[in-house]
Each structure stands twice: as C-alpha cells, then as structure tokens.
Amino acid sequence: MNGIRFARKGGALLLGLALVASACGGDDDDASSATTAASGSATTAAGGGVKCDDLSLAYFGALTGDNANLGINIKQGASLAIDQFNEKNPDCQIELKDFDSQGDPAQAPGLATAVINDKSIVGVVGPAFSGESKAADPLFEEAGLPIITASATGPALSTNGWKIFHRMLGNDNDQGPAAAKYITATMGAKKVFVVDDATEYGRGLADAVKEALGTAMSGSDTVQEKQTDFSATVTKIKAAAPDAVFYAGYYAEAGPLAKQLKDAGVTAKFVSGDGSKDPGFVTGAGAAAEGVVLTCPCAPPENFPDFYTAYKAEFNSDPQTYGAEAYDSATAFLLAIADGKTDRKSILEFLKTLSAPGVTKELAWDDTGEVKDKSVYAYIVKGGEIVPAQPEAIK
Amino acid sequence: MITASLLVDQFWTFTITGLAQGAIYALVALGYTLVYGVLRLINFAHSEVFMVGTFGALFATRWMGVELGDPTDHGALAVIGFLVVCGLVAMAFSGGTAVALELIAYRPLRRRGAPRLAFLISAIGASFALFEAMAVWQGRNPIPFPRLFEPKELFRFFDASVTQRQVIVVVFAVLMMVALQLFVSKSRLGRGIRATAQDSETARMLGVNTDNTILVTFLLGGIMAGGAALLFLIKDEQTRFNIGFLLGIKAFTAAVLGGIGNLRGALIGGLALGLVENYGAAIFGTQWKDVVAFVVLVVVLMFRPTGLLGEQLGRSRA
C-alpha cells in the first residue's frame, strides 16, 4: 500500500520519465528492443486516452510467508505498469487486486475461485509458483480467465493444453542447457559434479543439466530439503575432484553446501540455478558465496534503465528478480485493454496474436503459452551482492 | 550407481564426519531416553527443546555482539568465553523449555490420570505450538550462526583430515554424557531418578518426591539438548524454526537403536546411526542415507527387540 501511495506523489515525475523514454526510443529491434520497450508499452497503451469502466487485474502469489520477497517483487513490477497506464488514461483507471496465496498450493483453489468470481478482473499476473499454478490454473482455464505468470518455471505447466496459460520467461528445461553451456564454454570446466535436492524443481533442472553436459558430468549426488550436514556429499565431491559443482535446488540448502565445500578445501567453482538466486544464499554461504555463479531465466533489471529508474522512483528500492517480467506481464494485458478489449474472452484472443516489444523481451507466445524468447542469464556474487555476470543472455 | 570403492577410498573421512553427526544425535537421544525411562513416555516435543536451544545460543551471540562474516581474530580465550556463554544460554533455554513442557503439557494430565494416548497428543501439540511460534517470531528462513573460529585441520587420521571442530563436537558430547552418567549413578537426585524409573509407586512410598524427580529428569534432558544445540551450531552453522524435526526423528531412532531407557544405549545408538548413515550415503548415494539407516534399525530390532543394549534406566547399575 505504501508503494502505491508513494506512486501518486511521484506520478508527474513518472509521466515525464515515460515521455523522455519514448522520445529516446529508437525503432531498431533485437538488442535494443529492451530499451524501447519500457517506453513502447507505455506509449502504445497510452494511445489516445483509452476509455473503460471498472476493469481490474489480479496479482496472484505470495505476499506473506516464506517466499514473500519474490511475490512482492512481482506485485510491484505489475503495479508499476498499471500506475503508468492509469497516469496516461484518466478515463480508464485499472485497479490491481492482490490475492495473497502465501505460495501455498492448498490455498490456491479457494483463492482462484475468489478471483474468478470478481467479474471486474480480466487478467491475472501469476500464479507466482509452479505448485500453486498446478492447483489454480485448471480453475482459470474453466473460467476462461487469461493468466500470465512472471515466475512459475515448472516445465509441465504448459503441457496441459490450458488455453489461458502464458509464461513470461523460459522454463527449467531451457535453463538446464544454458547453465551447462555457461559452465563448460564460458567457465571452461571439463569435469562437472551435479547435485540436486530431490524436489520436482531440483530433479528436473539437474536432469536437464546432466543431459546437456554429456560426458563432462563427472558424478552426481542427491541431498534432501532441510538437510544441514552435507559431509557425505562433500566427501564425494572432493574424491571426484571436479572443476565445477552445479547445485539444482533452493538457496536454503545451496548456502550451507557451498560453505561446507569451501571449508573442506574444494576449489571447484560453485554454480546454481534461479532457486538459489536470493540474498538468502549469500547469507547462508557467507564468504563461500563470493564468485558463485547463478543462472536464471530472468533478465537483469539493470539492462533496462528506463524501467529501472521508474521502478526505483516509485518504490524507492531496486527492482529485483522477476520485477521486470511482471511489468511485461501486466503490460500485455494493458495493451489489450488499450486496444478496446474489455472482457476475458477478447483479451485472451488478443494475447494469442500479440507481438509487441516488452521490457525484457518480445511479448509473444507460442500455442502452448511459452514465451518465444527464452533467454537465460548468468549472475555472479560479487562483494556479497548478486550481480549480472554479463549483460547479455547465455548464447 | 552402487559403488563400494568410494567408501573404501574415503573410509576414514566418512567415519569421522559420521561420528561428529552421531555425537549430536546421541546427546539429543539422551533426552528421549531419560524421560522414557522414568515416565514410559515418548516426549515428541523434545525436538523443539533442541530447537529452542539453538536459538538461545544464537541470541547469546547477538547479545555479545559477535558478527556474521569472517571470524576476526578473537583470540583463543575470547572464543572459549563465547562458546561457554553460548553453551550455558543454550542449556538454559533448552532446560527451561523442557521443564515448561513438563509443567504445562504433561503434569496436569498426569494429575488427572489421563490415558497414555493423551500424553502423546499433548506432546505433538506442544511441538507444533513451539515451532510455529518460533516461525512467527523469527521467520521461516534459515538463520546463519556466526563462525567463531575457522575450521583447521588438527591432525590426520590415516588419510582423513580431522578438524578442531570435529574434535570439539565429539569430545564435548562424550564429556557431557559421562557427567550425566555420574550424576544419575552417584548423586542423591540421580538415585531418585533410578528409583522412580524402576517403580514409581514404591519410590514414592519410600519417600522419593517423584514430581520433583520427574522435573529434574526433564531438566537433565533439556541440558543435554542445549549442549547438542551448541555443538550443532558449531558444526552446521545455521538454525531454523523446524531444525528440530529431522534431528529429533534421528535422535529418537538412535535412542531406540541403542535401547530406549538406557543412557549408554543412547551413546552407542547415536554414534552407530551417524556412521551407518554416512556409509550408506557413500555406497548408495546420499538420497539413500535415511533408507539405509532405517533398514538397519528394523533389522536390529528384529533380532534385538529392545535395541543394541536394551537395558532399562532403572536396572542400569552404571
């Protein structure tokens, strides 16, 4: 709520920013489409004073509980896009309604029903996680309510034939090969040890990495969630003497594992996926976090200066993981509304044929709802901060 | 990928890390075993007694202003001071929690002559209440424990490197257990505990204050769990609201493996469990660690239904 109040005050500033941005935006595509996009969305959506009545979008995901941070990033990204739209279209004020799922799949169906029953809602940004998506998406499908998730990367989600499903980023199957490529080509590792945490996410990601590594994989092991003593795994890794260790799992275990490896004198480079891309990893790993590489299908917000400045002006904090993807997700819905689509059905049809520049990538999906541009990025821990290892995606 | 070559190559490393983990299991197992010996009750909330202890030690470092990050050169004396304070605070937190459990969750039930099942539910309820309260208060993320000293190799045992951390964990755990043994076998209160364990009716008739004795039993179990909490933090350097869950199950298993109600059984059971787990992980992969550990437990119980040592606390002459 604070953020939104803050937004009103900063409104004029934002408008100015957006205008400047659109003025600067070139018309070349590809590499700099990112820069044009921040403005592109705002200007297109601004069109010529859109008129609409009582329309809203929903944010569906955690705002409290274990994974609240990630959810708040997403909500704020979406609300920035909506605020910019409202600023330009006084006759069409879109409201963003929050549905806090706490990331809990058990709560998701009830919450989804509440979203569906609110007839003013024409699109959903979310659900944020794969587990809750599995539970809520069938209901959205039945109701014909279009969704765009900015963060759920479970590969299976797009295989259910749901027409309403859209994903703003690559899934775990895209991340695996990219991570493997980065480890072998960019980091030059010849022997890679792969560890997973036996969760649906970790196992899937590890399998994708192993397949892409081929003979470069020198060994593998599986740990458990909530495990704190990794001595057996550490001993195995030490014996295998790899150049790099890839961990497929979440930061709660990745941190201590990296730390215990360093303590045991293992010098192999530690690499992990988006599940570990969280400040919690740095806290858990301590000094061992330095130099660790983390891959993520999410683009560094620093790549998009216009978005970055606008976000910072509105929320007084730097945009974090998935913030820019959420901004794009909301923008896709706003483009539909600006195009005169005001009901769920016509917005869904609009998304199917949409092809417009977004902040992180082109807003265009294939038939299964997977975004066409599935770039994966590499990050590195430097001075206790997770920063992009390189601005461009892993190629 | 089943291979014994890794275990053969790294046998001593697996043994030493297994012993360090097993020593912590053993200390926590003592809490289960003590209470079971006296009350024939599995105190399932004991895992939370341990958890509260880890938070006690964590708070102690904050009060003393120890910061996260690389250990600055505290000097040996300061480190020992920190460890002693952390240990005492952890024991106070754990002991206090164990005593509170007895007073709030068990004694009222005993007074009313509640059926055995009621105690079990009360234990599970208390466990949930404790860790959820901690989650609401301290959050659900893992919280790192500051490193008080860098792990250094102290000596090599065959080809395995032994760090001073591992030595501290094992030696301190064994010392605590010896102290407990002496207390139970030599002191007046200890005699009360043994008498109550053997036959609480008769003990009461002979003038043993059984309510007090039971309270002391919980306190002792709590103190052991507090010691385990500090050792755990030295070794794994983090805690979390649900840290007791897995460790509690393992410690309970260790107690049963060694013979529940038997103090030396807890030691043997804990160390054996730590070793078996590690060997299993070496041969079958870490994901099979728990499977191996529990298969061993079932097999042992098949041939020795009362566990490896299988003696009751009351009959123990130690």
Side-chain angles (χ1 to χ4, degrees), chain A residues 65-66 69 198 203 219-233 235-236 238-240 251-253 256 259-260 262-263 283-284 287, chain B residues 1 6 10 13-14 17 21 68 70 140-142 144-145 147 150-151 165 232 235-238 240 242-243 245-246 278 281-282 285-287 289-290:
Chain A
D66 285 8
N69 286 344
R203 179 57 63 84
S220 68
D221 200 16
T222 300
V223 299
Q224 285 177 317
E225 278 192 292
K226 292 187 191 153
Q227 193 174 328
T228 54
D229 175 281
F230 298 97
S231 56
T233 305
T235 308
K236 279 186 182 189
K238 211 173 172 184
Y251 65 91
E253 287 77 31
K259 191 185 218 175
Q260 289 173 29
K262 185 172 186 246
D263 285 346
T283 343
Chain B
M1 198 167 60
L6 183 67
Q10 307 285 331
T13 307
F14 281 115
T17 52
Q21 184 68 30
L68 281 174
D70 289 324
R140 288 166 192 271
N141 276 327
F145 184 75
R147 178 170 284 189
E150 279 296 336
R165 247 195 221 177
F232 174 84
K235 192 168 86 65
D236 288 0
E237 298 183 318
Q238 62 159 321
R240 174 179 204 176
N242 59 5
I243 201 84
F245 180 76
L246 208 58
N278 253 12
T286 311
Q287 64 270 41
K289 184 168 102 165
D290 294 342

Side-chain angles (χ1 to χ4, degrees), chain B residues 148-230:
Chain B
L148 296 168
F149 53 91
E150 279 296 336
K152 263 196 217 105
E153 183 179 298
L154 211 56
F155 58 90
R156 289 189 86 82
F157 190 75
F158 292 93
D159 57 346
S161 130
V162 181
T163 65
Q164 86 277 51
R165 247 195 221 177
Q166 288 156 337
V167 172
I168 289 175
V169 169
V170 174
V171 169
F172 188 70
V174 170
L175 282 180
M176 281 195 68
M177 281 180 263
V178 170
L180 179 71
Q181 276 278 9
L182 286 175
F183 181 84
V184 171
S185 59
K186 304 277 187 238
S187 76
R188 201 182 137 79
L189 277 168
R191 196 162 58 209
I193 290 175
R194 279 180 293 139
T196 312
Q198 220 166 49
D199 186 338
S200 68
E201 284 297 304
T202 316
R204 194 177 309 140
M205 279 190 277
L206 292 175
V208 176
N209 183 340
T210 48
D211 265 349
N212 260 355
T213 307
I214 290 167
L215 208 59
V216 170
T217 309
F218 272 91
L219 181 66
L220 286 175
I223 289 173
M224 294 296 136
L230 177 68

Side-chain angles (χ1 to χ4, degrees), chain B residues 237-284:
Chain B
E237 298 183 318
Q238 62 159 321
T239 184
R240 174 179 204 176
F241 75 102
N242 59 5
I243 201 84
F245 180 76
L246 208 58
L247 204 129
I249 292 178
K250 292 288 174 62
F252 174 58
T253 308
V256 174
L257 186 64
I260 192 151
N262 184 312
L263 295 185
R264 273 175 298 182
L267 173 66
I268 301 292
L271 296 179
L273 186 66
L275 289 176
V276 165
E277 267 187 6
N278 253 12
Y279 296 155
I283 297 174
F284 300 101

Side-chain angles (χ1 to χ4, degrees), chain A:
Chain A
M1 290 313 283
N2 276 331
I4 291 170
R5 243 176 257 135
F6 188 87
R8 300 256 152 82
K9 279 187 216 153
L13 173 67
L14 273 178
L15 180 62
L17 275 172
L19 287 175
V20 171
S22 63
C24 302
D27 53 3
D28 49 344
D29 41 85
D30 232 338
S32 67
S33 72
T35 1
T36 48
S39 54
S41 60
T43 41
T44 330
V50 180
K51 284 196 171 65
C52 70
D53 194 29
D54 192 27
L55 285 185
S56 53
L57 295 175
Y59 161 75
F60 190 113
L63 288 175
T64 58
D66 285 8
N67 298 298
N69 286 344
L70 213 53
I72 291 167
N73 297 343
I74 296 166
K75 190 205 125 170
Q76 292 188 342
S79 91
L80 174 64
I82 291 170
D83 285 344
Q84 288 180 346
F85 178 90
N86 288 346
E87 207 58 55
K88 299 205 167 143
N89 298 285
D91 294 330
C92 183
Q93 294 295 303
I94 310 290
E95 191 190 341
L96 180 67
K97 293 186 175 166
D98 297 339
F99 291 85
D100 179 8
S101 65
Q102 301 188 312
D104 178 6
Q107 294 189 31
L111 217 51
T113 310
V115 175
I116 291 163
N117 289 340
D118 184 338
K119 294 298 174 203
S120 77
I121 295 174
V122 293
V124 178
V125 176
F129 300 133
S130 298
E132 61 189 10
S133 294
K134 227 178 187 173
D137 289 358
L139 298 171
F140 291 137
E141 170 73 11
E142 205 174 303
L145 176 58
I147 62 160
I148 307 177
T149 179
S151 53
T153 54
L157 290 175
S158 61
T159 62
N160 299 298
W162 297 328
K163 293 191 176 55
I164 49 94
F165 180 81
H166 301 83
R167 175 152 41 202
M168 203 60 244
L169 72 180
N171 66 38
D172 296 339
N173 286 348
D174 304 316
Q175 192 182 166
K181 195 174 257 178
Y182 190 84
I183 294 168
T184 50
T186 311
M187 298 170 68
K190 300 212 162 35
K191 287 167 73 187
V192 185
F193 197 99
V194 181
V195 182
D196 72 82
D197 68 351
T199 61
E200 199 175 333
Y201 159 75
R203 179 57 63 84
L205 179 57
D207 285 347
V209 169
K210 286 179 195 169
E211 199 187 317
L213 282 173
T215 53
M217 190 190 83
S218 70
S220 68
D221 200 16
T222 300
V223 299
Q224 285 177 317
E225 278 192 292
K226 292 187 191 153
Q227 193 174 328
T228 54
D229 175 281
F230 298 97
S231 56
T233 305
V234 169
T235 308
K236 279 186 182 189
I237 293 174
K238 211 173 172 184
D243 305 317
V245 176
F246 183 82
Y247 180 71
Y250 298 99
Y251 65 91
E253 287 77 31
L257 175 60
K259 191 185 218 175
Q260 289 173 29
L261 278 170
K262 185 172 186 246
D263 285 346
V266 174
T267 51
K269 288 269 184 201
F270 194 85
V271 183
S272 190
D274 57 336
S276 305
K277 187 182 171 291
D278 186 287
F281 170 74
V282 182
T283 343
E290 204 60 22
V292 165
V293 171
L294 305 165
T295 61
C296 183
C298 53
E302 294 88 336
N303 280 6
F304 322 112
D306 299 331
F307 166 77
Y308 196 94
T309 335
Y311 187 100
K312 189 147 187 176
E314 177 144 349
F315 302 110
N316 207 15
S317 66
D318 294 337
Q320 303 286 337
T321 309
Y322 303 135
E325 280 78 7
Y327 181 91
D328 276 349
S329 305
T331 299
F333 286 123
L334 295 171
L335 287 172
I337 293 169
D339 198 50
K341 311 285 189 279
T342 53
D343 62 281
R344 295 171 179 179
K345 190 160 175 271
S346 60
I347 289 180
L348 184 55
E349 278 161 10
F350 179 87
L351 292 179
K352 292 291 165 210
T353 56
L354 178 65
S355 174
V359 166
T360 61
K361 52 180 81 78
E362 200 194 2
L363 306 175
W365 291 272
D366 67 15
D367 293 340
T368 61
E370 296 284 10
V371 74
K372 285 181 179 160
D373 174 357
K374 302 181 176 73
S375 302
V376 175
Y377 296 81
Y379 295 79
I380 191 164
V381 181
K382 256 198 195 126
E385 302 282 333
I386 301 171
V387 297
Q390 53 183 39
E392 67 274 13
I394 302 169
K395 290 214 174 83

Side-chain angles (χ1 to χ4, degrees), chain B residues 35 78 86 91 97 125 154 174 211-212 227-228 235 277 301 306 317:
Chain B
V35 169
C86 285
M91 287 178 196
T97 309
L154 211 56
V174 170
D211 265 349
N212 260 355
K235 192 168 86 65
E277 267 187 6
L301 291 184
T306 50
R317 275 176 302 276

